[in-house]
Amino acid sequence: MNKESIKTSAGNIIYKTTLLSAIALSIGACSGIGTGAAAVSSVTAALFCAVTPEISLFPVLLNFLIQSYIVNTVGYTGAFVAILMCSVYAFFLLKSKKTINALKLPEIKAPLMLATALSVTVLITTYYFGIGAAGNTVPEMFKDYRSLGFHPNWRGILYGTIVMVIMITFPRKFKKGSRIFSAAFAAIIFTYILNLLLIPAGTVSPIEFTGEPGYAIFNGFNFEELSAFGNIMTVITGSFAMAVTVMITGNRNKASGENSLYDSLYILLNSVNGWFFTSKVSLKNKKQFIEGLISAVLIALIMFVTKGFERLPLASCAVVLIVGAWQSVEWGMIKKSFSSPVSIIVFTVLLVLSILLTPVIGVAAAFIYAVSKSNSLTIQPEFEYNVNS
């Protein structure tokens, strides 16, 4: 292996390690899943998922919204069962290349992207400002915001705003560096250290932290939560919507060690955690496996040394998700989705369903439309919309 390939490998390892650590912490802290379970899922993602600087966080954050909805509606047991079912759905759905391609059409993908960014912002802003509002859908959260009024925690806003500035400016000022070291992780490290200096351990904290991570396999399961018909339907529809988000990550290619069986086994492995990182599962070659293994070890080591970043401001995690969601929106695709009256109608319907009801309903409607379009689709198997076109 020459020096250039060694350098490239190191960059891949660092980027995968830092991105997965930041996203897992943020999703675990803001979803009800918990940072411990999310950290374990990030380790498995490091081992099996293809994570590069080109990766889109849109499916990851859409999946976060769906899984959060399930956890907050049915509980942790519901999330466990939903992911079990998702692994079965994914095995079959990922074989439908035409439908996968149709899901990438601008009038389908653009409204889901925009709805994801808007929904994450509305649902997670309460952690950024420290308002203490609660709600499982955008309308519910708006209602609670109105009831509670605006009374922000300015210390939390300080940390969150620092995260926002770093995530926006770091990739612009250090283009090459941001492809090696995730801007989200840089922001988390900065605010974590700053908080340790401003609020030392043992002192009274004016803000909420992520807290000590807890994790115990098969602990907290209560299958009585699934006895109600409404809860059963939430699990069924939610698990299907999660499988569709996996489809959005693209086609699988057996020749390069990517197929629906690997994805399904990966999802199944993470069912006990209540969350999985939505990305292509790739077992491409020995070099990639070694990089993934090193990354997994580094993530575990980082979480162990920092005790899961238990003194990280919750506001920092919230802004990682909010900024990440908006950075995932492909604005050129939104423009492209207004190419015809039918596309405008589809865009509007999917956006409204996703925001006013739940992303679960929006994704289900998107899938139905994608199936109807798939038979007439003539694009190439690896079709990707070029945002610069």
Side-chain angles (χ1 to χ4, degrees):
M1 186 179 289
N2 57 38
K3 290 183 179 180
E4 184 62 29
S5 62
I6 292 174
K7 181 180 177 181
T8 301
S9 296
N12 292 342
I13 293 167
I14 294 171
Y15 188 82
K16 176 180 273 192
T17 300
T18 53
L19 178 68
L20 288 175
S21 296
I23 295 300
L25 276 171
S26 302
I27 285 179
C30 298
S31 65
I33 296 166
T35 55
V40 173
S41 286
S42 70
V43 170
T44 60
L47 285 169
F48 301 112
C49 290
V51 179
T52 67
E54 289 75 31
I55 189 173
S56 172
L57 290 180
F58 155 59
V60 177
L61 294 173
L62 177 56
N63 194 40
F64 153 70
L65 290 173
I66 295 169
Q67 290 179 271
S68 296
Y69 178 79
I70 296 172
V71 170
N72 295 322
T73 302
V74 191
Y76 184 79
T77 307
F80 164 71
V81 175
I83 297 178
L84 281 177
M85 295 177 64
C86 173
S87 67
V88 178
Y89 288 138
F91 177 76
F92 295 101
L93 291 178
L94 287 172
K95 296 181 182 296
S96 178
K97 292 186 177 182
K98 284 189 175 181
T99 304
I100 289 174
N101 283 326
L103 284 168
K104 296 175 185 177
L105 291 172
E107 66 266 31
I108 297 178
K109 196 171 181 179
L112 292 181
M113 279 183 174
L114 187 57
T116 297
L118 290 168
S119 298
V120 168
T121 302
V122 173
L123 294 172
I124 304 302
T125 292
T126 181
Y127 300 123
Y128 176 19
F129 289 95
I131 297 173
N136 207 18
T137 63
V138 170
E140 288 177 4
M141 190 60 82
F142 269 130
K143 184 178 180 180
D144 216 30
Y145 284 146
R146 181 180 179 184
S147 174
L148 292 172
F150 185 73
H151 49 85
N153 184 313
W154 293 106
R155 179 67 67 88
I157 291 178
L158 169 66
Y159 290 123
T161 302
I162 290 173
V163 169
M164 186 181 299
V165 171
I166 292 175
M167 287 187 67
I168 293 174
T169 60
F170 186 77
R172 295 179 180 178
K173 296 294 184 181
F174 307 98
K175 291 183 179 180
K176 291 183 178 179
S178 64
R179 294 178 62 82
I180 297 174
F181 197 93
S182 167
F185 191 74
I188 279 180
I189 287 293
F190 187 89
T191 53
Y192 176 70
I193 295 174
L194 180 61
N195 186 64
L196 290 178
L197 296 174
L198 296 179
I199 311 176
T203 60
V204 177
S205 173
I207 61 172
E208 188 176 356
F209 298 147
T210 55
E212 183 179 355
Y215 184 79
I217 295 178
F218 301 122
N219 240 14
F221 283 5
N222 179 13
F223 288 95
E224 292 182 1
E225 297 172 339
L226 302 179
S227 58
F229 177 76
N231 290 349
I232 294 173
M233 291 306 299
T234 296
V235 170
I236 293 174
T237 55
S239 60
F240 183 81
M242 283 192 289
V244 175
T245 65
V246 176
M247 295 178 73
I248 293 174
T249 61
N251 291 324
R252 271 52 178 173
N253 183 355
K254 290 183 179 180
S256 60
E258 300 172 356
N259 64 46
S260 62
L261 177 60
Y262 298 148
D263 281 83
S264 296
L265 291 175
Y266 161 72
I267 296 170
L268 179 64
L269 182 64
N270 282 286
S271 60
V272 71
N273 301 322
W275 177 72
F276 65 93
F277 185 84
T278 314
S279 177
K280 270 189 179 183
V281 171
S282 178
L283 306 175
K284 190 173 182 179
N285 51 43
K286 183 179 179 180
K287 176 177 175 287
Q288 181 177 290
F289 175 77
I290 293 174
E291 290 176 1
L293 182 60
I294 296 173
S295 178
V297 171
L298 288 175
I299 292 172
L301 185 62
I302 290 170
M303 295 302 177
F304 176 77
V305 171
T306 62
K307 296 182 179 179
F309 289 89
E310 62 179 347
R311 293 188 64 78
L312 176 68
L314 186 59
S316 297
C317 295
V319 177
V320 164
L321 299 181
I322 293 171
V323 175
W326 286 106
Q327 288 178 335
S328 299
V329 177
E330 298 176 25
W331 299 102
M333 184 178 286
I334 293 178
K335 180 180 178 181
K336 185 72 173 181
S337 66
F338 283 75
S339 60
S340 70
V342 174
S343 295
I344 294 174
I345 293 173
V346 172
F347 178 96
T348 304
V349 170
L350 293 182
L351 183 66
V352 170
L353 289 177
S354 298
I355 294 177
L356 296 187
L357 297 178
T358 72
V360 173
I361 303 299
V363 170
F367 177 81
I368 293 172
Y369 179 76
V371 170
S372 71
K373 290 288 291 183
S374 62
N375 291 330
S376 59
L377 214 57
T378 58
I379 53 181
Q380 297 299 315
E382 288 296 329
F383 167 78
E384 285 284 358
Y385 173 70
N386 184 358
V387 70
N388 296 316
S389 61

